[in-house]
Amino acid sequence: YCAGGTSAPGSSAATSINLVNMTAATVAGTMTSVSDNGATKTVGLSIAGRTEIVEIPGPSVGGNLVATTVDLDGGGVLVTESVAGTLGWSETACSRSTAPEWYFASGSTIDGNTLTLSLYNPTSTDAVVDMTFATPSGVSQPQPFEGIVVAPGALVIEHIDAYVQEAPSVSSIVEARTGAVIASELEVESSNGVHGVSVRLGVPSLFKLWSLPDSVDVPGGATSITVFNPTEIPDKVEAIVDPQGSPPAKFSATIGPRSAWVFDTSGQTRIPGGLPFLATIRVLSGPGVVVDRTVHAPSSFAAPQFGAVSGLAVGPAMPAGTVVVVPGPGDQAHPIVAGARVSLLNVVNPGTAPVRATVWALAEGEGLVRLGEITVGPGSSTSLGRSVLEHARRLPLVVSASGPVVVLEDLG
């Protein structure tokens, strides 16, 4: 299930769906698209073994925003969503299941930023949804965001910025009284020469350990990490920042019920500017949090100058030898953004022993092509650099490791 992007070609965040078949056999299925005006369209899919295809769902259903259900007759296929427009581009995961609760750590409605939440119900029963927003001014539950009925198969759009105005930080909670939904958030920024878009699938569960590798305090810009506690119980949280070539620094905070800690890394003298760092967020006591990273670059940088990404959640039951497929935006034949590609691949080892990770490119007609092997120390992050990834260009990437890892790509 994918949601959050706009429908029309040339719109602010036009949606495309990437499907990567990791198996050797052809996988067939369907993709059903639905717009916020109620139109639906189902098309057939066929993804040959070890290939990638791109589908553009918006033109077939119209409307303003679009959501999709991809239904396949076999496993081994990864589905992701990209959005792109004149202000920039972004990419997010699609979800393999609905959930009764979704959380979004960050967002902003200042200076004309728009913040839009998509509620998609791909099930056969009604869902009734309430939404709550946490800002620096307190908790807000506007009446129009209570008891939202999302009919079976429907996509409902809620414009947060219309009611939660001029808030520098907006954390959102989606709770279904009945039923279950998919929830995604689209943020568009265009002010003071800084432009960008961010599409993010919500987080359906709380975690006590999060990683954000290769964070950088951009000179002349601003980087922040938002840690959101959506529960009624306080969380005591520690942030460990480990810059390359510098001693690690620890920061701590107690986050009250339904409130957020916006940790401005750019304003910390103990974090060197311009040096990549691994940020590890650990809950010392409390039920858990959700985590985002937001970056604002100077207006002199190439667009997009704004972006946000969810942190990497580290769960208690990750299987050994995790394989992660990381496609770029679009494919070789259908680039979503000219020149866009994976510029850096960050592999994080949350365990207590070193891990060997091999990175592959999935090349049509060739299968998996080995790019390189790296060793990742316990509790640390190692990147596969631009010189190696240059050979992969826009191809999907696969990481196979000797132990549990989490992976974040930098798209440039």
Side-chain angles (χ1 to χ4, degrees), residues 1-3 68 70 79 93-99 102 181-183 201-202 204:
Y1 308 116
C2 311
T68 60
V70 175
V79 184
C94 297
S95 179
R96 289 177 292 176
S97 61
T98 60
W102 297 90
V181 295
I182 299 295
L201 176 71

Side-chain angles (χ1 to χ4, degrees), residues 194-295:
V194 175
H195 308 291
V197 298
S198 169
V199 64
R200 276 163 292 162
L201 176 71
V203 178
S205 302
L206 305 180
F207 289 86
K208 293 192 174 186
L209 183 62
W210 294 80
S211 286
L212 279 165
D214 201 55
S215 300
V216 178
D217 289 331
V218 181
T223 300
S224 61
I225 296 172
T226 302
V227 185
F228 177 42
N229 171 16
T231 75
E232 300 290 352
I233 302 171
D235 276 299
K236 187 176 181 181
V237 175
E238 179 181 71
I240 303 171
V241 175
D242 192 358
Q244 293 181 5
S246 294
K250 290 185 179 181
F251 306 84
S252 60
T254 298
I255 307 173
R258 297 203 167 189
S259 60
W261 174 32
V262 182
F263 176 38
D264 180 8
T265 62
S266 303
Q268 304 297 326
T269 56
R270 288 185 287 166
I271 303 177
L275 281 183
F277 59 85
L278 169 66
T280 302
I281 310 299
R282 191 183 305 273
V283 176
L284 303 178
S285 64
V289 295
V290 292
V291 176
D292 277 359
R293 180 181 67 203
T294 303
V295 177

Side-chain angles (χ1 to χ4, degrees), residues 22 31 33 37 78-79 96 109 123 162 176 181 198 207 265 333 394:
M22 279 299 301
M31 182 180 76
S33 305
N37 65 10
L78 180 75
V79 184
R96 289 177 292 176
T109 59
T123 75
V181 295
S198 169
F207 289 86
T265 62
R394 307 182 70 92

Side-chain angles (χ1 to χ4, degrees), residues 337-375:
V337 178
R341 64 186 62 177
V342 178
S343 62
L344 205 64
L345 190 71
N346 307 287
V347 182
V348 182
N349 173 12
T352 57
V355 168
R356 296 288 292 177
T358 306
V359 182
W360 316 75
L362 184 64
E364 188 168 351
E366 300 179 57
L368 291 173
V369 178
R370 188 178 181 275
L371 295 179
E373 188 174 83
I374 54 178
T375 298

Side-chain angles (χ1 to χ4, degrees), residues 5 100 112 159 169 216 237 273 276 300 372:
H159 298 282
S169 172
V216 178
V237 175
S300 58

Side-chain angles (χ1 to χ4, degrees), residues 46-368:
S46 180
I47 314 154
R50 298 201 171 100
T51 64
E52 176 184 17
I53 65 172
V54 178
E55 295 290 331
I56 311 296
S60 65
V61 291
N64 296 306
L65 281 91
V66 65
T68 60
T69 293
V70 175
D71 189 8
L72 302 169
D73 63 6
V77 178
L78 180 75
V79 184
T80 60
E81 178 182 18
S82 298
V83 301
T86 56
L87 301 178
W89 50 282
S90 178
E91 187 176 87
T92 191
C94 297
S95 179
R96 289 177 292 176
S97 61
T98 60
E101 296 181 346
W102 297 90
Y103 309 108
F104 300 88
S106 68
S108 171
T109 59
I110 62 171
D111 298 329
N113 290 8
T114 62
L115 200 59
T116 306
L117 208 142
S118 294
L119 302 173
Y120 176 41
N121 179 7
T123 75
S124 58
T125 59
D126 282 339
V128 179
V129 173
D130 296 327
M131 295 172 60
T132 303
F133 309 104
T135 73
S137 301
V139 176
S140 174
Q141 295 176 306
Q143 191 276 330
F145 296 94
E146 296 182 5
I148 302 166
V149 178
V150 189
L155 172 65
V156 173
I157 305 303
E158 298 295 337
H159 298 282
I160 300 171
D161 53 277
Y163 290 88
V164 185
Q165 299 177 342
E166 295 301 316
S169 172
V170 182
S171 303
S172 304
I173 303 171
V174 175
E175 296 176 294
R177 299 182 201 172
T178 60
V181 295
I182 299 295
S184 293
E185 187 176 84
L186 177 66
E187 184 172 359
V188 179
E189 177 161 330
S190 179
S191 62
N192 303 316
V194 175
H195 308 291
V197 298
S198 169
V199 64
R200 276 163 292 162
L201 176 71
V203 178
S205 302
L206 305 180
F207 289 86
K208 293 192 174 186
L209 183 62
W210 294 80
S211 286
L212 279 165
D214 201 55
S215 300
V216 178
D217 289 331
V218 181
T223 300
S224 61
I225 296 172
T226 302
V227 185
F228 177 42
N229 171 16
T231 75
E232 300 290 352
I233 302 171
D235 276 299
K236 187 176 181 181
V237 175
E238 179 181 71
I240 303 171
V241 175
D242 192 358
Q244 293 181 5
S246 294
K250 290 185 179 181
F251 306 84
S252 60
T254 298
I255 307 173
R258 297 203 167 189
S259 60
W261 174 32
V262 182
F263 176 38
D264 180 8
T265 62
S266 303
Q268 304 297 326
T269 56
R270 288 185 287 166
I271 303 177
L275 281 183
F277 59 85
L278 169 66
T280 302
I281 310 299
R282 191 183 305 273
V283 176
L284 303 178
S285 64
V289 295
V290 292
V291 176
D292 277 359
R293 180 181 67 203
T294 303
V295 177
H296 289 83
S299 58
S300 58
F301 279 43
Q305 297 100 4
F306 156 78
V309 64
S310 297
L312 298 172
V314 180
M318 294 176 62
T322 299
V323 177
V324 185
V325 183
V326 191
D331 61 11
Q332 307 263 46
H334 305 91
I336 304 305
V337 178
R341 64 186 62 177
V342 178
S343 62
L344 205 64
L345 190 71
N346 307 287
V347 182
V348 182
N349 173 12
T352 57
V355 168
R356 296 288 292 177
T358 306
V359 182
W360 316 75
L362 184 64
E364 188 168 351
E366 300 179 57
L368 291 173

